Amino acid sequence: MKRICFFGIFDPEYARTKVLARGFEANGYEVVFCRVDPRITTGLRKYKLLYAEGKKLQEQTFDQVVVCFPGRVRTMLLARTLFGPRIILDAFLSIYDSNVY
């Protein structure tokens, strides 16, 4: 079975993340979440925690690693350090979010 890791500091209930995860599952992927909740952990501590969570999965094999929205430079660097170059950045930001928020 193909495996994909959703990595980052994101909300798994965010509509885009849910749609992407369901899409991968519908196409035969096992989806593994490696995340830190930004509402609970803040500041630089969230990156330290994310690194620790990623280390737990480092020995596992993934076909791809998706850095979920919001993907920041630090998050990308952590993903690259932990999992190597096979990284996809979900950089989508809707026009609504850009104009309203």
Side-chain angles (χ1 to χ4, degrees), residues 1-5 29 61-65 86-87:
M1 176 180 262
K2 298 179 278 185
R3 299 180 78 221
I4 191 159
C5 178
Y29 280 82
T61 303
F62 298 101
D63 294 293
Q64 295 291 333
V65 175
R86 298 187 69 142
I87 301 169

Side-chain angles (χ1 to χ4, degrees), residues 29-94:
Y29 280 82
E30 175 189 354
V31 177
V32 176
F33 287 95
C34 180
R35 61 176 286 275
V36 171
D37 191 334
R39 293 169 292 185
I40 296 172
T41 309
T42 59
L44 292 177
R45 185 169 184 266
K46 64 187 169 195
Y47 296 104
K48 184 178 178 182
L49 262 141
L50 182 59
Y51 182 78
E53 290 298 312
K55 284 293 274 186
K56 294 176 189 175
L57 297 176
Q58 194 173 22
E59 297 302 317
Q60 296 184 30
T61 303
F62 298 101
D63 294 293
Q64 295 291 333
V65 175
V66 176
V67 175
C68 295
F69 177 80
R72 308 264 195 260
V73 172
R74 288 185 186 123
T75 310
M76 287 294 295
L77 290 173
L78 284 177
R80 170 72 185 220
T81 300
L82 291 166
F83 303 106
R86 298 187 69 142
I87 301 169
I88 299 169
L89 172 62
D90 178 15
F92 176 77
L93 183 62
S94 73

Side-chain angles (χ1 to χ4, degrees), residues 6-27:
F6 277 41
F7 181 83
I9 301 164
F10 64 93
D11 179 3
E13 294 301 312
Y14 181 62
R16 180 157 173 84
T17 304
K18 286 170 64 172
V19 167
L20 285 173
R22 287 181 189 154
F24 277 110
E25 288 171 343
N27 284 287

